[in-house]
Amino acid sequence: LPGRVGLIVEYRGTRYCGWQLQPNGVSIQQLLEEAFRRMTGLKTRMQAAARTDSGVHARGQLVAFENPSRHGPERLREGLNFYLPPEVAVLEAFQVAEDFDPRRAAVGKHYRYTLLCRRAQPVFEAGLVYHCPYPLDAPAMQRAAFMAEGEHDFSAFRAADDENHTAVRRLDLCRWRAEPPRLVLEVFGRGFLKQMIRNLVGTMLQIGRRRWPAEKMAELLSSGDRRRAGPTAPASGLCLMRVFTDEESYRENLRLAAESINLPVR
Amino acid sequence: LPGRVGLIVEYRGTRYCGWQLQPNGVSIQQLLEEAFRRMTGLKTRMQAAARTDSGVHARGQLVAFENPSRHGPERLREGLNFYLPPEVAVLEAFQVAEDFDPRRAAVGKHYRYTLLCRRAQPVFEAGLVYHCPYPLDAPAMQRAAFMAEGEHDFSAFRAADDENHTAVRRLDLCRWRAEPPRLVLEVFGRGFLKQMIRNLVGTMLQIGRRRWPAEKMAELLSSGDRRRAGPTAPASGLCLMRVFTDEESYRENLRLAAESINLPVR
């Protein structure tokens, strides 16, 4: 038997309730497990490196599962894609060690949040960005993003039902890049709290609209008070770009992303 | 009265029969004229710089029309966007001279054809690329593209119902760029025949699949025989990126596009 299999999965999360199986709504996990069952007639349980929320997209989710069928990775990739809806695709499939756990194997993750800053509605990127038809103070947003970099207690930016023991996390990169008419937040880190990035973006949008000064970000990080932070930014703008299982590759991609930042921190 | 108005229009052409009014099917021209009538209660006739075919997309179509309403350009942009379907958006609106004709004003156009070269189906770019799940010989395709650059009689690459008097055209740029997993053809020229780019791509795909040698491109250009050329590539991969009305801007963007080409002509 081929044994345990890893997958790189891409999905448009709009119509789904996130990665994890849910009593109400269809999850990406359910779609993948059902595709496997329809292909092989066998049951399996899939695990992912990141539990993306409802509506969040992924270009590089890392998934692993026990493969009780006789199909090898390549056949599985083709077969799963045949049974998956057009919003989900398996990009790669490969054998992994019997004890491979995608959550524990992940040494870092790259997330991206994309704002479309123009009056006209999104056409080509409908559902894949958050549309901001009002002017934004990008330099102030960049100062706020820079304050969130490094190690902090992110209590003010965790979801109410976040179950992690500690809210201390380290962001290795949290910086906006201008790609007119887009503003793109690149985030690299080893671990995240539930809705942490969307909550950070929600506060940065308040700062961008000049409702709050950039310094409010530092203040919120110190206070740890969720009620004083901004609203959660919409899921449509967030995408899990990549999960790294290799330290060197994480550092190299972090370096390249940092080099791509074209808005200075003034 | 504000007088004649110009528009920059973006559209996803998938569900429409192209720019021009057609007896069967909904055109982009019809959608814009109807949006104007619903907004103002008045009739007008819109003209575009390029008659894009059924299914072809645009990021920068140039449109002009006589504005019999009292609304200025900004109000028109907002009002038209309100009445347009989500696949069409007016990005800019501005006053133009009374004798402004977008076809005659265009000194050059930039088209892009995008191939998605991977086994898995497109997810984020569904309908916006042509999916090639088979291997392609990109260097051979680049040699063929290079042969099509410059001035030629493109008789072998015009649609059967093309009505232009002469098939002689000049491509200022026709070159593939690798953006893995994408292959992107950048095309700059002052004038094009009907389906010319899609017919060139169809032949380059035959060359990429090694059914024909790259030299077949030169042979087809000399022969002028449409029956010997490849099939028309699907409309989904083609996008009118920009229409230039200013010579300097055309040359500058042509230069930047040429610099972005990362596949050498060997």
Side-chain angles (χ1 to χ4, degrees), chain B residues 33-44 67-71 76 80 83:
Chain B
E33 292 179 1
E34 277 183 11
F36 184 83
R37 195 169 44 74
R38 289 171 71 190
M39 178 191 174
T40 64
L42 299 166
K43 282 194 176 182
T44 191
N67 172 23
S69 81
R70 277 168 312 165
H71 301 305
L76 282 171
L80 292 172
Y83 289 105

PDB file of all heavy atoms in Angstrom, chain B residues 33-44 67-71 76 80 83:
ATOM      1  N   GLU B  33     -25.094  50.904 -22.937  1.00  0.00           N
ATOM      2  CA  GLU B  33     -26.141  51.807 -23.435  1.00  0.00           C
ATOM      3  C   GLU B  33     -27.394  51.693 -22.578  1.00  0.00           C
ATOM      4  O   GLU B  33     -28.049  52.699 -22.275  1.00  0.00           O
ATOM      5  CB  GLU B  33     -26.436  51.505 -24.909  1.00  0.00           C
ATOM      6  CG  GLU B  33     -25.264  51.885 -25.822  1.00  0.00           C
ATOM      7  CD  GLU B  33     -25.505  51.577 -27.298  1.00  0.00           C
ATOM      8  OE1 GLU B  33     -26.593  51.073 -27.647  1.00  0.00           O
ATOM      9  OE2 GLU B  33     -24.590  51.836 -28.106  1.00  0.00           O
ATOM     10  N   GLU B  34     -27.719  50.478 -22.138  1.00  0.00           N
ATOM     11  CA  GLU B  34     -28.890  50.282 -21.272  1.00  0.00           C
ATOM     12  C   GLU B  34     -28.673  50.906 -19.897  1.00  0.00           C
ATOM     13  O   GLU B  34     -29.595  51.483 -19.321  1.00  0.00           O
ATOM     14  CB  GLU B  34     -29.201  48.784 -21.125  1.00  0.00           C
ATOM     15  CG  GLU B  34     -30.011  48.251 -22.288  1.00  0.00           C
ATOM     16  CD  GLU B  34     -30.385  46.788 -22.122  1.00  0.00           C
ATOM     17  OE1 GLU B  34     -30.202  46.235 -21.001  1.00  0.00           O
ATOM     18  OE2 GLU B  34     -30.851  46.198 -23.112  1.00  0.00           O
ATOM     19  N   ALA B  35     -27.454  50.771 -19.361  1.00  0.00           N
ATOM     20  CA  ALA B  35     -27.162  51.387 -18.060  1.00  0.00           C
ATOM     21  C   ALA B  35     -27.320  52.898 -18.160  1.00  0.00           C
ATOM     22  O   ALA B  35     -27.876  53.541 -17.263  1.00  0.00           O
ATOM     23  CB  ALA B  35     -25.748  51.014 -17.608  1.00  0.00           C
ATOM     24  N   PHE B  36     -26.878  53.476 -19.291  1.00  0.00           N
ATOM     25  CA  PHE B  36     -27.017  54.927 -19.491  1.00  0.00           C
ATOM     26  C   PHE B  36     -28.490  55.323 -19.556  1.00  0.00           C
ATOM     27  O   PHE B  36     -28.913  56.307 -18.951  1.00  0.00           O
ATOM     28  CB  PHE B  36     -26.293  55.353 -20.769  1.00  0.00           C
ATOM     29  CG  PHE B  36     -26.315  56.835 -20.990  1.00  0.00           C
ATOM     30  CD1 PHE B  36     -25.400  57.661 -20.362  1.00  0.00           C
ATOM     31  CD2 PHE B  36     -27.284  57.418 -21.819  1.00  0.00           C
ATOM     32  CE1 PHE B  36     -25.431  59.040 -20.553  1.00  0.00           C
ATOM     33  CE2 PHE B  36     -27.324  58.796 -22.012  1.00  0.00           C
ATOM     34  CZ  PHE B  36     -26.390  59.599 -21.371  1.00  0.00           C
ATOM     35  N   ARG B  37     -29.281  54.520 -20.257  1.00  0.00           N
ATOM     36  CA  ARG B  37     -30.706  54.837 -20.398  1.00  0.00           C
ATOM     37  C   ARG B  37     -31.436  54.697 -19.061  1.00  0.00           C
ATOM     38  O   ARG B  37     -32.278  55.523 -18.712  1.00  0.00           O
ATOM     39  CB  ARG B  37     -31.339  53.930 -21.454  1.00  0.00           C
ATOM     40  CG  ARG B  37     -32.714  54.430 -21.926  1.00  0.00           C
ATOM     41  CD  ARG B  37     -33.199  53.670 -23.149  1.00  0.00           C
ATOM     42  NE  ARG B  37     -32.971  52.243 -23.025  1.00  0.00           N
ATOM     43  CZ  ARG B  37     -33.680  51.433 -22.238  1.00  0.00           C
ATOM     44  NH1 ARG B  37     -34.674  51.895 -21.528  1.00  0.00           N
ATOM     45  NH2 ARG B  37     -33.393  50.146 -22.187  1.00  0.00           N
ATOM     46  N   ARG B  38     -31.058  53.669 -18.293  1.00  0.00           N
ATOM     47  CA  ARG B  38     -31.729  53.496 -16.995  1.00  0.00           C
ATOM     48  C   ARG B  38     -31.335  54.610 -16.028  1.00  0.00           C
ATOM     49  O   ARG B  38     -32.134  55.036 -15.198  1.00  0.00           O
ATOM     50  CB  ARG B  38     -31.382  52.122 -16.410  1.00  0.00           C
ATOM     51  CG  ARG B  38     -32.072  50.994 -17.190  1.00  0.00           C
ATOM     52  CD  ARG B  38     -31.575  49.629 -16.787  1.00  0.00           C
ATOM     53  NE  ARG B  38     -32.028  49.245 -15.462  1.00  0.00           N
ATOM     54  CZ  ARG B  38     -31.576  48.178 -14.810  1.00  0.00           C
ATOM     55  NH1 ARG B  38     -30.637  47.412 -15.371  1.00  0.00           N
ATOM     56  NH2 ARG B  38     -32.036  47.871 -13.616  1.00  0.00           N
ATOM     57  N   MET B  39     -30.103  55.077 -16.157  1.00  0.00           N
ATOM     58  CA  MET B  39     -29.647  56.147 -15.261  1.00  0.00           C
ATOM     59  C   MET B  39     -30.265  57.496 -15.622  1.00  0.00           C
ATOM     60  O   MET B  39     -30.669  58.263 -14.745  1.00  0.00           O
ATOM     61  CB  MET B  39     -28.117  56.233 -15.339  1.00  0.00           C
ATOM     62  CG  MET B  39     -27.518  57.347 -14.483  1.00  0.00           C
ATOM     63  SD  MET B  39     -25.767  57.605 -14.854  1.00  0.00           S
ATOM     64  CE  MET B  39     -25.469  59.059 -13.823  1.00  0.00           C
ATOM     65  N   THR B  40     -30.325  57.785 -16.928  1.00  0.00           N
ATOM     66  CA  THR B  40     -30.686  59.153 -17.355  1.00  0.00           C
ATOM     67  C   THR B  40     -32.055  59.229 -18.035  1.00  0.00           C
ATOM     68  O   THR B  40     -32.578  60.339 -18.214  1.00  0.00           O
ATOM     69  CB  THR B  40     -29.650  59.676 -18.374  1.00  0.00           C
ATOM     70  OG1 THR B  40     -29.715  58.848 -19.564  1.00  0.00           O
ATOM     71  CG2 THR B  40     -28.242  59.623 -17.811  1.00  0.00           C
ATOM     72  N   GLY B  41     -32.609  58.099 -18.449  1.00  0.00           N
ATOM     73  CA  GLY B  41     -33.844  58.118 -19.229  1.00  0.00           C
ATOM     74  C   GLY B  41     -33.599  58.522 -20.676  1.00  0.00           C
ATOM     75  O   GLY B  41     -34.543  58.705 -21.438  1.00  0.00           O
ATOM     76  N   LEU B  42     -32.326  58.644 -21.073  1.00  0.00           N
ATOM     77  CA  LEU B  42     -31.990  59.127 -22.414  1.00  0.00           C
ATOM     78  C   LEU B  42     -31.233  58.051 -23.206  1.00  0.00           C
ATOM     79  O   LEU B  42     -30.607  57.171 -22.638  1.00  0.00           O
ATOM     80  CB  LEU B  42     -31.105  60.378 -22.313  1.00  0.00           C
ATOM     81  CG  LEU B  42     -31.738  61.571 -21.593  1.00  0.00           C
ATOM     82  CD1 LEU B  42     -30.679  62.607 -21.245  1.00  0.00           C
ATOM     83  CD2 LEU B  42     -32.847  62.183 -22.445  1.00  0.00           C
ATOM     84  N   LYS B  43     -31.294  58.186 -24.531  1.00  0.00           N
ATOM     85  CA  LYS B  43     -30.604  57.228 -25.393  1.00  0.00           C
ATOM     86  C   LYS B  43     -29.264  57.789 -25.831  1.00  0.00           C
ATOM     87  O   LYS B  43     -29.123  59.006 -26.018  1.00  0.00           O
ATOM     88  CB  LYS B  43     -31.445  56.938 -26.638  1.00  0.00           C
ATOM     89  CG  LYS B  43     -32.590  55.974 -26.380  1.00  0.00           C
ATOM     90  CD  LYS B  43     -33.154  55.476 -27.704  1.00  0.00           C
ATOM     91  CE  LYS B  43     -34.242  54.436 -27.444  1.00  0.00           C
ATOM     92  NZ  LYS B  43     -34.784  53.895 -28.689  1.00  0.00           N
ATOM     93  N   THR B  44     -28.304  56.903 -26.033  1.00  0.00           N
ATOM     94  CA  THR B  44     -27.045  57.308 -26.643  1.00  0.00           C
ATOM     95  C   THR B  44     -26.461  56.097 -27.348  1.00  0.00           C
ATOM     96  O   THR B  44     -26.929  54.966 -27.171  1.00  0.00           O
ATOM     97  CB  THR B  44     -26.047  57.887 -25.620  1.00  0.00           C
ATOM     98  OG1 THR B  44     -24.959  58.497 -26.329  1.00  0.00           O
ATOM     99  CG2 THR B  44     -25.485  56.814 -24.695  1.00  0.00           C
ATOM    100  N   ASN B  67     -23.044  62.650 -24.729  1.00  0.00           N
ATOM    101  CA  ASN B  67     -23.754  62.664 -23.449  1.00  0.00           C
ATOM    102  C   ASN B  67     -24.867  63.716 -23.455  1.00  0.00           C
ATOM    103  O   ASN B  67     -24.611  64.894 -23.219  1.00  0.00           O
ATOM    104  CB  ASN B  67     -22.744  62.960 -22.335  1.00  0.00           C
ATOM    105  CG  ASN B  67     -23.407  63.185 -20.996  1.00  0.00           C
ATOM    106  OD1 ASN B  67     -24.537  62.740 -20.761  1.00  0.00           O
ATOM    107  ND2 ASN B  67     -22.719  63.880 -20.109  1.00  0.00           N
ATOM    108  N   PRO B  68     -26.103  63.294 -23.724  1.00  0.00           N
ATOM    109  CA  PRO B  68     -27.191  64.276 -23.786  1.00  0.00           C
ATOM    110  C   PRO B  68     -27.740  64.643 -22.403  1.00  0.00           C
ATOM    111  O   PRO B  68     -28.671  65.436 -22.307  1.00  0.00           O
ATOM    112  CB  PRO B  68     -28.256  63.549 -24.619  1.00  0.00           C
ATOM    113  CG  PRO B  68     -28.024  62.107 -24.336  1.00  0.00           C
ATOM    114  CD  PRO B  68     -26.574  61.932 -23.987  1.00  0.00           C
ATOM    115  N   SER B  69     -27.172  64.066 -21.333  1.00  0.00           N
ATOM    116  CA  SER B  69     -27.673  64.334 -19.975  1.00  0.00           C
ATOM    117  C   SER B  69     -26.924  65.505 -19.357  1.00  0.00           C
ATOM    118  O   SER B  69     -25.945  65.992 -19.918  1.00  0.00           O
ATOM    119  CB  SER B  69     -27.501  63.102 -19.095  1.00  0.00           C
ATOM    120  OG  SER B  69     -26.173  63.027 -18.609  1.00  0.00           O
ATOM    121  N   ARG B  70     -27.365  65.923 -18.172  1.00  0.00           N
ATOM    122  CA  ARG B  70     -26.665  67.011 -17.487  1.00  0.00           C
ATOM    123  C   ARG B  70     -25.589  66.479 -16.534  1.00  0.00           C
ATOM    124  O   ARG B  70     -24.938  67.240 -15.842  1.00  0.00           O
ATOM    125  CB  ARG B  70     -27.667  67.865 -16.708  1.00  0.00           C
ATOM    126  CG  ARG B  70     -28.358  68.916 -17.588  1.00  0.00           C
ATOM    127  CD  ARG B  70     -29.523  69.501 -16.809  1.00  0.00           C
ATOM    128  NE  ARG B  70     -30.321  68.415 -16.220  1.00  0.00           N
ATOM    129  CZ  ARG B  70     -31.225  68.591 -15.248  1.00  0.00           C
ATOM    130  NH1 ARG B  70     -31.436  69.777 -14.748  1.00  0.00           N
ATOM    131  NH2 ARG B  70     -31.903  67.557 -14.785  1.00  0.00           N
ATOM    132  N   HIS B  71     -25.441  65.138 -16.466  1.00  0.00           N
ATOM    133  CA  HIS B  71     -24.468  64.568 -15.532  1.00  0.00           C
ATOM    134  C   HIS B  71     -23.046  64.724 -16.053  1.00  0.00           C
ATOM    135  O   HIS B  71     -22.771  64.463 -17.224  1.00  0.00           O
ATOM    136  CB  HIS B  71     -24.747  63.078 -15.309  1.00  0.00           C
ATOM    137  CG  HIS B  71     -26.111  62.823 -14.755  1.00  0.00           C
ATOM    138  ND1 HIS B  71     -26.571  63.411 -13.594  1.00  0.00           N
ATOM    139  CD2 HIS B  71     -27.122  62.039 -15.192  1.00  0.00           C
ATOM    140  CE1 HIS B  71     -27.798  63.004 -13.350  1.00  0.00           C
ATOM    141  NE2 HIS B  71     -28.172  62.173 -14.312  1.00  0.00           N
ATOM    142  N   LEU B  76     -21.534  60.127 -13.985  1.00  0.00           N
ATOM    143  CA  LEU B  76     -21.809  59.069 -14.965  1.00  0.00           C
ATOM    144  C   LEU B  76     -21.110  57.772 -14.583  1.00  0.00           C
ATOM    145  O   LEU B  76     -21.697  56.692 -14.649  1.00  0.00           O
ATOM    146  CB  LEU B  76     -21.362  59.507 -16.360  1.00  0.00           C
ATOM    147  CG  LEU B  76     -22.307  60.483 -17.077  1.00  0.00           C
ATOM    148  CD1 LEU B  76     -21.660  61.019 -18.328  1.00  0.00           C
ATOM    149  CD2 LEU B  76     -23.636  59.789 -17.409  1.00  0.00           C
ATOM    150  N   LEU B  80     -23.415  54.656 -13.965  1.00  0.00           N
ATOM    151  CA  LEU B  80     -23.318  53.496 -14.868  1.00  0.00           C
ATOM    152  C   LEU B  80     -22.943  52.253 -14.073  1.00  0.00           C
ATOM    153  O   LEU B  80     -23.525  51.179 -14.255  1.00  0.00           O
ATOM    154  CB  LEU B  80     -22.291  53.758 -15.981  1.00  0.00           C
ATOM    155  CG  LEU B  80     -22.664  54.845 -17.006  1.00  0.00           C
ATOM    156  CD1 LEU B  80     -21.494  55.142 -17.934  1.00  0.00           C
ATOM    157  CD2 LEU B  80     -23.890  54.420 -17.822  1.00  0.00           C
ATOM    158  N   TYR B  83     -25.836  50.538 -12.441  1.00  0.00           N
ATOM    159  CA  TYR B  83     -26.766  49.789 -13.295  1.00  0.00           C
ATOM    160  C   TYR B  83     -26.104  48.655 -14.074  1.00  0.00           C
ATOM    161  O   TYR B  83     -26.783  47.879 -14.732  1.00  0.00           O
ATOM    162  CB  TYR B  83     -27.478  50.743 -14.260  1.00  0.00           C
ATOM    163  CG  TYR B  83     -28.485  51.632 -13.560  1.00  0.00           C
ATOM    164  CD1 TYR B  83     -28.222  52.976 -13.317  1.00  0.00           C
ATOM    165  CD2 TYR B  83     -29.705  51.109 -13.117  1.00  0.00           C
ATOM    166  CE1 TYR B  83     -29.141  53.782 -12.663  1.00  0.00           C
ATOM    167  CE2 TYR B  83     -30.623  51.906 -12.455  1.00  0.00           C
ATOM    168  CZ  TYR B  83     -30.333  53.242 -12.231  1.00  0.00           C
ATOM    169  OH  TYR B  83     -31.249  54.030 -11.570  1.00  0.00           O
TER     170      TYR B  83
END
